[in-house]
Amino acid sequence: MAARQENTATRLDDAARAGWLYYVAGNTQEEIAAKMGISRQSAQRLVSLSVSEGLIKVRLDHPIGRCMDLGARLKSRFALDLVEVVPSDPASDSTTIGVAEAGAAEIERWLVRPEPITMAIGTGRTLKAAIEQIQPMECPQHKVVSLTGNIAPDGSAAFYNVIFNVADTVKARSFPMPLPVIASSAAEREMLHRQPMIKATVALAAEANATFVGIGDLGPRAPLLLDNFISEADHKMLQKAGAVGEICGWCFDAEGRLIEGLINDRVASAPIPSRESSLVVGLAMGRHKAPAIRAALNRRLVNGVITDERTAELLLA
């Protein structure tokens, strides 16, 4: 009897995985068969089973055992308040589809609440992908505030700042941060933050009930460097100082400690909201980001994480 129940659970896990690969990651049945090491006919049956058992709706709605186990271990290891681990695509180390879908689902769970909330939003490629998955809704009772400036070094709108995307999709009151992402000097940052409108926005961000941020690495393809928010010289100085990651421009070392001086003196972002009184969720995945994610979790720069199973394994190694 126990063996039969275990076989049924395993088959549903396989069906959920096949359904995710087909409906979310966009694989063909032949590709699914190759990735799962099964015949094309078996892949077809598993995809059909994922539908007939109600595992597939718009998003994967089945708690895959391995992902659940990894999530439980992450939650215990880092004393987290929220963990979501999604399946990894065996053929891709970079796709953010699953993490974006899970991030969108968690954001929506907050936005559908009838009681007013304040939600703070950071920036980043994975977070932007999640925002693009949010279903349109009417949320005039909520406030959505940006943690980061929305002006790039050349004066254009910062591409991965998502505050306006959120506001347009959910029709909530939005509070952008009309600042450069990184000021030209510490004195300029302080002068900008003294402006009444900016002070009010920073104060609102500190009251956030839920916050969603990306976690960037500071390797050779660091987002801050690729997007020209910092120079090559800044990048090298940060690496020399031991920086491994950043959240909203705030750079930290392998222990999660904010780097003193350097660009942190010029970051115009609001401080990361309190993890003691609110939920701060980092959306991130990938081998190159693992040191930054681990550091952020160790220091509780975030108290929630949405990632994939491959990254979760690296964080637990």
Side-chain angles (χ1 to χ4, degrees):
M1 183 67 175
R4 185 181 305 165
Q5 290 176 337
E6 185 176 348
N7 288 338
T8 299
T10 299
R11 184 162 177 77
L12 287 177
D13 279 357
D14 289 342
R17 191 177 296 275
W20 184 89
L21 288 169
Y22 187 81
Y23 290 104
V24 180
N27 289 269
T28 66
Q29 291 177 0
E30 289 181 353
E31 290 171 331
I32 294 170
K35 290 175 181 179
M36 296 184 66
I38 57 179
S39 68
R40 186 181 181 280
Q41 289 75 17
S42 294
Q44 184 178 21
R45 284 194 293 270
L46 287 172
V47 171
S48 297
L49 183 62
S50 73
V51 176
S52 65
E53 290 293 322
L55 308 182
I56 293 294
K57 296 173 184 176
V58 176
R59 300 186 178 95
L60 184 62
D61 196 30
H62 174 77
I64 292 176
R66 178 163 178 72
C67 291
M68 294 292 287
D69 177 63
L70 288 168
R73 290 165 60 195
L74 279 176
K75 194 169 188 177
S76 176
R77 171 80 64 85
F78 297 103
L80 298 171
D81 297 322
L82 180 140
V83 178
E84 183 75 28
V85 178
V86 304
S88 297
D89 184 341
S92 174
D93 290 330
S94 60
T95 180
T96 61
I97 294 174
V99 173
E101 288 281 345
E106 183 60 30
I107 292 170
E108 287 176 7
R109 277 191 281 272
W110 282 88
L111 291 174
V112 297
R113 297 184 179 198
E115 68 275 12
I117 65 162
T118 297
M119 179 180 290
I121 296 290
T123 186
R125 290 154 173 78
T126 306
L127 182 59
K128 187 173 190 294
I131 297 301
E132 290 171 349
Q133 298 293 327
I134 294 176
Q135 299 299 310
M137 59 182 80
E138 300 281 337
C139 303
Q141 73 275 29
H142 300 324
K143 297 176 181 178
V144 182
V145 58
S146 178
L147 291 177
T148 66
N150 56 15
I151 302 173
D154 62 0
S156 63
F159 185 73
Y160 293 104
N161 187 290
V162 296
I163 184 67
F164 298 113
N165 304 64
V166 179
D168 185 57
T169 301
V170 305
K171 303 300 185 288
R173 291 183 64 193
S174 62
F175 296 81
M177 191 82 73
L179 295 173
V181 175
I182 297 176
S184 61
S185 67
E188 182 187 59
R189 194 268 299 271
E190 293 306 314
M191 180 271 292
L192 291 170
H193 276 213
R194 285 197 298 269
Q195 303 306 307
M197 180 174 63
I198 304 303
K199 286 178 68 174
T201 303
V202 172
L204 181 62
E207 299 172 0
N209 304 100
T211 299
F212 294 87
V213 297
I215 301 176
D217 70 288
L218 285 168
R221 297 186 59 78
L224 285 178
L225 180 64
L226 292 181
D227 297 336
N228 297 314
F229 291 121
I230 61 174
S231 66
E232 290 277 2
D234 287 330
H235 185 229
K236 289 178 180 177
M237 284 192 295
L238 285 167
Q239 289 184 319
K240 188 175 181 179
V244 300
E246 54 88 13
I247 295 175
C248 297
W250 297 107
C251 297
F252 50 86
D253 64 16
E255 300 300 319
R257 295 181 295 247
L258 293 180
I259 301 294
E260 293 187 11
L262 302 181
I263 73 160
N264 279 348
D265 283 348
R266 298 187 281 124
V267 173
S269 302
I272 301 170
S274 169
R275 279 75 70 198
E276 301 307 316
S277 58
S278 64
L279 180 67
V280 180
V281 183
L283 281 68
M285 56 160 285
R287 180 176 295 276
H288 64 292
K289 284 192 176 184
I293 302 170
R294 184 183 294 108
L297 299 183
N298 270 328
R299 200 73 172 186
R300 280 182 68 83
L301 297 178
V302 299
N303 56 0
V305 66
I306 298 176
T307 190
D308 73 332
E309 58 183 317
R310 188 182 292 116
T311 308
E313 290 169 349
L314 291 172
L315 295 174
L316 290 165

